[in-house]
Amino acid sequence: MIRRPEPEAGEVLVRVGMAGLCGTDFAIWTGERPVTYPLVLGHEFVGYVEALGSGVTRVNVGDRIVVEPNYSCGTCALCRDGNRNLCLARTAVGIDVDGCFAEVARVPERCCWPAPSGVDDEDLLMTEPLAVVVRAVARAGVQPGESAAIVGGGTLGLLALQVLRGAGARVLVLSRSPRRFALAHELGAEATHAVSGGSLEAVARTFSGREGVGVVVETAGTPEAITHALTLVRPGGRIVLTGLPHEPTPVAFFGVVRREVTIVGSMIYQDEFPEAMRLVAAGVVRTRPLVTHRFGLDALGAAFAAHAQPDSIKVAVLSS
Ligand SMILES: [Zn+2]
Ligand SMILES: [Zn+2]
């Protein structure tokens, strides 16, 4: 059945240009993350406005836009507080409603951000995960010259590295595998460390020149990664968690109290899309070196297979 979406009031029909495939899509694809079918997957995308529902005023047909693929109810107490990322009635495009692995996608007008002119689709492809780390780094309150560590060398880690560098931090990247360390150095990492070997505490002390790093941004979402973060941080330091650890995670809270560590959760984004696009347009963050694979929409199965390959960072799907 071919379903041609029509924009309803307040909605925009987007002609999808380029979409990114991420771990969430892959978890849905494999069945690990349950969703209700039929569903068009995909939530990271750039495209053109093709048609407008009634009452749309912020965008026009033909505008190139980046889509923020989460929208909140707008009326609950959390939304009224400004915490729309925490809304319990939040809708995720490509998870709760049809997404962007298609020729066209239907989204509310308020999800559409004008793409900065002169910046290619491929450079804007990672605006969504970049907005996640822009928020995380802001919540860390990093100071220029401060030492920071990133746990996880995937898309979020390599983006967080660049945002932290942009904020003036010195950055250590930790990953299970040294596979991406050359790229991490190219993107501004001062040091890298494979977590399998050696004492992380010693690594953090050597890198920071003091009792540990001031800030840790955790991007892996695993219990081990949280343990690593607690080992790396200095007394009085901050840990920002961006990964969602689905498993129960044992935490030695003795150290949290004794070392007065601040642990902060950071959930997607509130108003970070413009800043994410600004960082890309200004060249502070380079996303293109992270695009390792490109497939047409007709090769979506191959795109998902490529995501599972060890050499893959970001797989792009070209819809038109
Ligand atoms: Zn994603
Ligand atoms: Zn709400």
Side-chain angles (χ1 to χ4, degrees):
M1 183 178 74
I2 296 168
R3 290 170 298 151
R4 165 87 197 182
E6 291 298 329
E8 293 179 8
E11 289 183 339
V12 169
L13 191 69
V14 182
R15 168 73 43 185
V16 181
M18 193 181 275
L21 201 157
C22 88
T24 304
D25 303 311
F26 191 77
I28 296 171
W29 179 263
T30 61
E32 183 192 328
R33 178 169 179 159
V35 293
T36 304
Y37 289 101
L39 177 73
V40 177
L41 272 56
H43 56 271
E44 303 176 359
F45 64 116
V46 185
Y48 287 89
V49 174
E50 184 159 294
L52 307 177
S54 63
V56 171
T57 55
R58 274 183 48 189
V59 294
N60 292 304
V61 171
D63 287 356
R64 191 168 68 113
I65 54 155
V66 178
V67 173
E68 178 176 331
N70 281 278
Y71 50 95
S72 62
C73 79
T75 56
C76 74
L78 287 163
C79 282
R80 281 185 276 120
D81 288 345
N83 291 319
R84 59 191 173 94
N85 57 326
L86 308 181
C87 173
L88 300 176
R90 184 168 54 84
T91 302
V93 173
I95 299 172
D96 303 315
V97 295
D98 283 344
C100 64
F101 294 152
E103 290 85 357
V104 289
R106 199 172 56 122
V107 294
E109 169 188 29
R110 65 184 186 278
C111 295
C112 301
W113 294 98
S117 59
V119 184
D120 290 350
D121 286 0
E122 193 159 313
D123 294 309
L124 293 170
L125 182 64
M126 270 164 267
T127 303
E128 199 263 352
L130 181 56
V132 171
V133 299
V134 165
R135 178 166 183 79
V137 170
R139 284 175 69 72
V142 66
Q143 302 298 314
E146 197 169 26
S147 59
I150 291 162
V151 183
T155 301
L156 288 178
L158 294 171
L159 292 174
L161 152 67
Q162 300 180 72
V163 176
L164 281 164
R165 286 280 298 136
R170 302 173 47 231
V171 187
L172 162 70
V173 173
L174 295 104
S175 176
R176 275 197 286 232
S177 153
R179 201 184 299 128
R180 307 221 175 105
F181 286 172
L183 178 57
H185 281 290
E186 189 192 319
L187 296 174
E190 194 172 310
T192 49
H193 182 76
V195 290
S196 47
S199 153
L200 287 190
E201 202 167 342
V203 170
R205 281 175 179 267
T206 304
F207 178 71
S208 63
R210 51 178 300 181
E211 311 87 345
V213 299
V215 168
V216 183
V217 177
E218 188 288 311
T219 65
T222 62
E224 306 81 64
I226 291 169
T227 305
H228 295 331
L230 286 162
T231 309
L232 294 160
V233 75
R234 66 167 164 78
R238 292 91 71 207
I239 297 173
V240 182
L241 307 176
T242 67
L244 286 165
H246 291 281
E247 303 155 57
T249 302
V251 172
F253 278 104
F254 181 92
V256 175
V257 178
R258 175 67 184 79
R259 295 150 67 99
E260 240 180 38
V261 172
T262 304
I263 302 177
V264 181
S266 190
M267 182 60 188
I268 57 169
Y269 29 76
Q270 282 181 357
D271 298 303
E272 283 81 7
F273 261 64
E275 175 64 4
M277 290 190 289
R278 189 195 69 77
L279 289 172
V280 171
V284 175
V285 174
R286 291 164 58 211
T287 57
R288 202 178 282 239
L290 276 59
V291 180
T292 52
H293 298 78
R294 292 162 189 82
F295 293 93
L297 186 59
D298 56 352
L300 200 54
F304 275 95
H307 176 85
Q309 296 304 310
D311 64 336
S312 149
I313 303 176
K314 178 60 71 179
V315 175
V317 177
L318 287 81
S319 289
S320 49

